[in-house]
Amino acid sequence: MRRKTIVLPKLLWNRLALFVVALSLFSHSPLHAQRQGREFGVNFGFGLGGSYSVLKGSTDSSSFRGWSPGIEAGLDLPWSRKSGLFISGGIRQVDLTNTSTKSNFVERMEGSSKFAKLGLFVGQLGFGGGISEDTFEIRQVSAISGESSKNIEGTTTLMFINYNFEIDPQFRLTFEGLHQSGDLMGFGFTDIGAMMKFVMLFEL
Amino acid sequence: MLTRILRPLTLSAYLLLGLLAGCSDQSESFNDQLDRELAEANPKQFLYVASGSCYAGGVATSTGAFTVAAYDLETGNLDRLVIDYNRIAPGDAPIAIQEFDAQNLLVLVENAAGRRIDLVRKDGQSISTYLVNATALSAAMRRMVRLPDSSLLISKSTAIEKISSARSRVTQGANPYVNAPAGACATTATLISGVTTLSNGKIVYTHAAASPNNKIVMVSATGYAAAPDCLTAVAAPVTTALPTDLIRHSSGQLLVSYGSTTATSNFLYAFDANATTNIINNASAAFNDNSIVNGPSAMTEDPLTGDIFVANGNAAFNNIERFSFNPNTRLLTRIGTQPFVSAQLYSRCISDIKVISE
């Protein structure tokens, strides 16, 4: 079954960025800055982000860009109102397109990354690392070789840093930058991504 | 205070997203890249076929084409003619082939006026002489085996010569490496039709002569110097069967091809070979349909699949059959209902076949 390829024009990215700016300013209005610090509790979030992935072989490399929505559930373990640990796990879908400017092929990378994270938060800032189980299918339509599909998978490591805005005692908005790297079946895999997540909080 | 934090944050977010949107580079197709890397790691394999002067157990054979050709290992279709010896010297007959390196083959050439080993590029673009040694290559060439240390064992019908990786003759005393062995290994100095080695280097060869000298012989890895170097000898299953080639299958078993003017004595047998105890036993018929295998002149194994290729030198066949081998049942099963390579110019009187990379 043929799927429709999503190609984001730069203008759309710029609009998304402006939306992020507006939302972050909104989230810090005095009306919403109700709570100071985190409570012991679980959380569940979902979000949307952008991703830029590179698969590097022995001589050449392939890069992909596109969307990466995801869901994530976690546990906050504060030792004070301002700092503590958090753990989380989730899944991130990727739907990326080869950034090649060549016109003789179109290539799309789809799949998922199931990840587990461990991090430290200090105030609104969080950072940490984790591991990710990645499974991707890369489909190509080429003017030379026709249709083809390859599967690639493996375990990679990730590092992240995020900034959290308390919208409400029950909600949090998180902006996260992610760097993921490792080996996928002999290919060096690197991914940098940015994601905005809307997180629901449940105190225990 | 909040504004001081927010400004760099929002700016960073904007820049990162801008980076993601604006990344544009010389990205290659991943699928093409993977195909290239796989091809480099696992170069395509071909069945190289030498058509020269063959021995098929006494059955009538055709005149060889004096060529080396490469056949597609999946389809059996001719891929290319590697070298045509008719254009090099009259009487040059390619007898045996071995891979030398990623680009070159060694081709043992029988020509009473100039026996030699050639170094031939797999693409046929060049040929040079690898070895000329009138003493070592003094009788009709039959087989050539390349050992792990890059030395060569060469059957010259009456004896087995060894050539070091430095291209010098390795003797036992003043004699060939295996020469006129005595005891149970006698008399095997007429037509040594096949040669292989076991995991510890011991040499196993087949000898084709009238019974009781149609036998399989095992000698020491250091060659034959004295009677103790004859380790064992095993008679053919029937007196009329003449062994024409043998290979050591990746399962460890020996597969021996037999040809004969007695139709029912054309077959393939499997043997167990114990390299430590020097025992060759448990002979069993692996394939005995002489309408498929008749006058086998060469055998080889595809190292990736374990499949066996058998060339029929009988002039009425001149083809190559492909079999799968089950080491448990010790049976060969023909793959398909037609020969893998049907009779054609380059499959006449096949003297050797090998699965080698492109």
Side-chain angles (χ1 to χ4, degrees), chain B residues 262-328:
Chain B
T262 302
T264 53
S265 297
N266 288 275
F267 41 59
L268 307 169
Y269 259 64
F271 294 82
D272 286 333
N274 190 316
T276 306
T277 60
N278 306 326
I279 293 173
I280 297 174
N281 59 1
N282 293 330
S284 65
F287 192 84
N288 58 6
D289 183 344
N290 58 54
S291 70
I292 307 294
V293 171
N294 202 308
S297 57
M299 279 195 302
T300 196
E301 178 186 0
D302 176 358
L304 285 179
T305 63
D307 288 352
I308 301 298
F309 295 90
V310 179
N312 282 309
N314 188 319
F317 285 66
N318 281 335
N319 58 18
I320 301 172
E321 295 284 351
R322 183 174 190 159
F323 301 90
S324 60
F325 179 61
N326 184 329
N328 298 316

Side-chain angles (χ1 to χ4, degrees), chain A residues 56-78:
Chain A
K56 185 166 177 50
S58 57
T59 54
D60 299 313
S61 63
S62 310
S63 53
F64 297 83
R65 183 176 60 230
W67 293 104
S68 55
I71 56 173
E72 186 171 345
L75 180 66
D76 287 336
L77 303 163

